[in-house]
Amino acid sequence: MSAKPAPRVGLFVTCLVDAIRPRIGFAAIQLLEEAGCIVEVPLAQTCCGQPAFNSGDDADAARLARQTIAAFEGFDHVVLPSGSCAATMVHGYPDLLAGDADWAARARDLAARTHEITSFLVDVMGFRPEGRRLEASATYHDSCSGLRDLGVAAQPRALLAAVEGLQMRGLEGNDVCCGFGGTFCVKYAPISNAIVTEKAEAIQRSGADLLLAGDLGCLMNMAGKLHRSGAATRCFHTIEVLAGQADGPAIGEEG
Amino acid sequence: MSHATTRAPFKARADAALADRTLKLAIDRTTGTAEAKRAAALSAFPEFEAARARGKAIKDHVIAHLDHYLEEFERNAIASGARVHWAADDAEARAIVTRICLEADARLVTRAKSMLGEEIGLPHALADAGIERVETDLAEHIIQLAGEAPSHIIWPAMHRTREQVADLFRTGHHPPPAAEDPASMVQSARRELRAKFLGADVGISGANFLVADTGATCTVTNEGNAELTTTPPRIHIVTAGIEKLVPSTAHAFALLRLLVRSATGGEMTQYTTFHCGPKRPGDADGPEEMHIVLVDNGRSRMLADEFRAMLRCIRCGACMNHCVVYRQIGGHAYGGTYPGPMGAVLTPVLDGLAAARDLPHACTMNGRCAEVCPVGIPLPTLLRAWRARSWREGREPGAVRAGLSLWARLATRPRLYRLASRIGVRGLRLFGRGGWIARLPLAGGWTAHRDLPRPEGRTFMEQYRAWQARKGAGR
Ligand code: SF4
């Protein structure tokens, strides 16, 4: 196709995708390969360290940051199916390791190569999925870190617009937090519940068949609330739809 | 000054707030309107980003040269005839203000809304000194009648619905309002308050800006009550935090443009007043004495630590109007003088981390506050800095520490982690039926309110390695 050599991409699947919904990881591999990348999944990855980082446990967060930096050295790009894990690597690691010149430089180098997957596909690879069809209506929630820390907003929408038959519906408060917040949702469960209750109501008011978003944590929160309140909305990660997997089980459906 | 340590803990206050549907209605009305008006004001103000950069630069410059501008301000204020007092903390500030009142034999004091006055505990101090206090701001009047503290830094009585205010006025006004429409209620409050405005010995106000090169203090209001508080009485006392300094009047206006649009969505407040010294010979009105109390109360400590950026805050309230947590629990649940994201950063400074540890944690880190802040304060970063300090000081609960450290030990050993995940997801599946888990021991915070998707069964890493092996074999 093009004269440029295919970029080598290291995929960080994230701990939640690894444990709860591996199919998002396979959707990522499929899309990255369709976009012309050579994809590898380094075995030395576990979690980006966000639970420690956001709890103020800087020592453990720094340990995980160094492990992740080392695991992804040498890749042209590092791609994640999560805005919040990507933001931790892009903004959190350089801050966390600022006190150590060598590691700080390596953290900045990783940060410069790290991307949330939908923005990578559009902004770096100029990719649009071809031949995808899905007769459904969907609404999209902008997960906070991706939106505000990385500017992920237009890219997922542009990709979804390439899926034939998919009707996008507006979501009231699409850029308002769903109340997940990592450990926040269990530490301050009643507050988190009040927030996600309003979010679930807005999703239902959209009338869409599907709820799409780019972070599994937020999706589990919203899907779990929708299911508890008896809603029929089916929830997918954006890239599952882009990879043509929306005919498979949604979050909370047995495959 | 707050009473965080003596009140119910944060979680209990939050639960009580969540159960109060009238409160929720009041919060939604005010924050919803504020959000819409701010958005409209910004869409008509395309130079907002440039103005925000300028506002941030002005504040940063002043913070970097605070001692210089404080001296310049003091010199010019004294030259204008005002007296300048320095208070290191809230207790000193209270003592200075009550001493001035007592020396003047003041029996009646009028006060214009000032969050700094709340911060230093002025309402209680005046009561303790036997001085009658009349709040001239309508919202402050409402919470004075209710015996409450402000729940928002711009709309102190936003936690009360119109209907509740009507009830308060019916019993608190003599005679009660003629009717319960807003106009009659305002009329009634005006009748209650005006007489006292004119009979007061001392008027106390805050300041939105302290102008270094003129020695003037600047207050902005929408009701004009600050003018009536500060002009008729013999003595005018201004209490202000030292971070309110600006180099010149032009700088005050640059910040004012940001403040008003961010706070109320207006272009200008109805009343913007500069006070420069007491009445001079030939002046038609004005106080005989003007006192300015410059309050530190933790601010110079912030200059030197990781919370320095917080000194930029111009108290516009936009961060709380756009905060998902504030919009569920309101201001009182925070337990400090300042609520919402800015309060969650400031209250640990003012009341100590021991009393306020929950506040920096009760945040989803969604970043909307920083996005709307007109002086670009990175509020989530500052909240995380409190979490890190709390961790370093050993204030986090033992169970949290133990859980995280066990998890971190696994997560830093990828082989072991992969094994533990394989076992973990299989274990987790045992708790569910179909695709969902409805109840899970140790995760009650999650499953009390929502279902948990059941893991697929095999981890990604397991499936990926099997897939790689198949691909390798097929080659
Ligand atoms: S932190 Fe920013 S948004 Fe919040 S009150 Fe202060 S200036 Fe306004």
Side-chain angles (χ1 to χ4, degrees), chain A residues 18 20 22-23 43 46 53-54 58 67 148 177 187-188 192-193 198 221 224-225 227-228 252 254, chain B residues 11 24 328 358 364 366 371 384 387 411-412 418 429 436 438 447 449-451 456 459-461:
Chain A
D18 179 49
I20 307 289
R23 57 182 71 236
L43 286 182
T46 57
F53 186 59
N54 280 342
D58 285 358
Q67 168 177 297
R148 298 197 178 86
C177 176
K187 284 184 181 158
Y188 300 93
S192 173
N193 177 49
E198 284 184 20
N221 181 41
K225 188 72 210 180
H227 187 255
R228 181 67 60 93
E254 284 283 78
Chain B
K11 286 184 180 177
K24 178 68 175 145
Q328 295 299 339
D358 268 304
T364 67
N366 67 76
E371 183 180 63
R384 213 200 67 79
R387 295 181 185 186
T412 46
R418 283 199 298 276
R429 278 186 64 80
W436 296 97
T447 53
H449 304 292
R450 29 177 136 44
D451 296 323
E456 268 178 37
T459 66
F460 174 85
M461 283 301 187

Side-chain angles (χ1 to χ4, degrees), chain A residues 172-241:
Chain A
E172 248 175 85
N174 59 287
D175 61 347
V176 174
C177 176
C178 73
F180 173 60
T183 52
F184 169 85
C185 73
V186 285
K187 284 184 181 158
Y188 300 93
I191 303 176
S192 173
N193 177 49
I195 300 170
V196 73
T197 300
E198 284 184 20
K199 176 61 74 177
E201 288 164 1
I203 293 165
Q204 286 180 268
R205 274 198 303 277
S206 79
D209 307 324
L210 312 180
L211 168 71
L212 309 179
D215 263 279
L216 184 54
C218 314
L219 278 164
M220 286 166 63
N221 181 41
M222 294 183 285
K225 188 72 210 180
L226 286 163
H227 187 255
R228 181 67 60 93
S229 39
T233 321
R234 304 175 72 220
C235 305
F236 288 97
H237 192 292
T238 310
I239 64 170
E240 295 182 84
V241 168

Side-chain angles (χ1 to χ4, degrees), chain B residues 34-54:
Chain B
E35 185 181 353
K37 284 192 171 169
R38 175 191 173 274
L42 287 209
S43 67
F45 185 45
E47 55 289 24
F48 177 73
E49 276 313 322
R52 161 145 75 180
R54 172 134 196 266

Side-chain angles (χ1 to χ4, degrees), chain B residues 184-419:
Chain B
S184 312
M185 296 213 290
V186 171
Q187 186 60 41
S188 175
R190 189 168 286 161
R191 197 181 47 230
E192 282 281 312
L193 295 173
R194 281 281 154 117
K196 299 199 167 166
F197 277 22
L198 300 174
D201 308 296
V202 175
I204 306 176
S205 72
N208 293 87
F209 305 104
L210 303 169
V211 185
D213 72 348
T214 62
T217 68
C218 172
T219 48
V220 298
T221 67
N222 279 314
E223 295 169 18
N225 58 303
E227 290 61 38
L228 280 171
T229 309
T230 53
T231 312
R234 256 182 320 120
I235 298 174
H236 175 200
I237 305 174
V238 178
T239 57
I242 54 175
E243 87 287 5
K244 295 286 183 205
L245 276 166
V246 289
S248 73
T249 308
H251 294 108
F253 276 108
L255 290 168
L256 196 55
R257 278 152 52 100
L258 289 167
L259 170 61
V260 179
R261 284 177 174 83
S262 303
T264 61
E267 290 189 1
M268 251 315 150
T269 37
Q270 303 292 339
Y271 299 87
T272 302
T273 313
F274 289 86
H275 300 279
C276 193
K279 182 176 175 175
R280 277 164 294 236
D283 280 359
D285 54 21
E288 287 158 27
E289 284 176 32
M290 179 173 177
H291 297 264
I292 301 168
V293 186
L294 298 173
V295 182
D296 184 327
N297 204 27
R299 288 163 175 78
S300 52
R301 226 182 320 129
M302 288 165 72
L303 268 179
D305 65 22
E306 61 265 56
F307 304 106
R308 181 180 172 111
M310 197 62 218
L311 290 169
R312 292 206 288 265
C313 177
I314 54 175
R315 309 286 192 262
C316 73
C319 55
M320 55 199 78
N321 294 335
H322 292 78
C323 171
V324 282
V325 173
Y326 181 90
R327 285 172 80 148
Q328 295 299 339
I329 65 175
H332 288 153
Y334 286 81
T337 301
Y338 301 100
M342 55 81 82
V345 176
L346 280 175
T347 305
V349 175
L350 298 170
D351 295 352
L353 194 52
R357 190 200 70 88
D358 268 304
L359 302 185
H361 287 85
C363 164
T364 67
M365 299 294 207
N366 67 76
R368 206 151 174 247
C369 50
E371 183 180 63
V372 299
C373 176
V375 284
I377 300 174
L379 291 151
T381 306
L382 302 184
L383 292 172
R384 213 200 67 79
W386 273 125
R387 295 181 185 186
R389 189 183 284 193
S390 179
W391 188 279
R392 284 197 304 276
E393 292 178 358
R395 294 181 190 282
E396 295 306 298
V400 172
R401 295 185 78 89
L404 261 175
S405 103
L406 177 66
W407 165 84
R409 234 175 294 160
L410 280 174
T412 46
R413 289 166 180 76
R415 286 171 71 95
L416 192 60
Y417 181 86
R418 283 199 298 276
L419 181 66

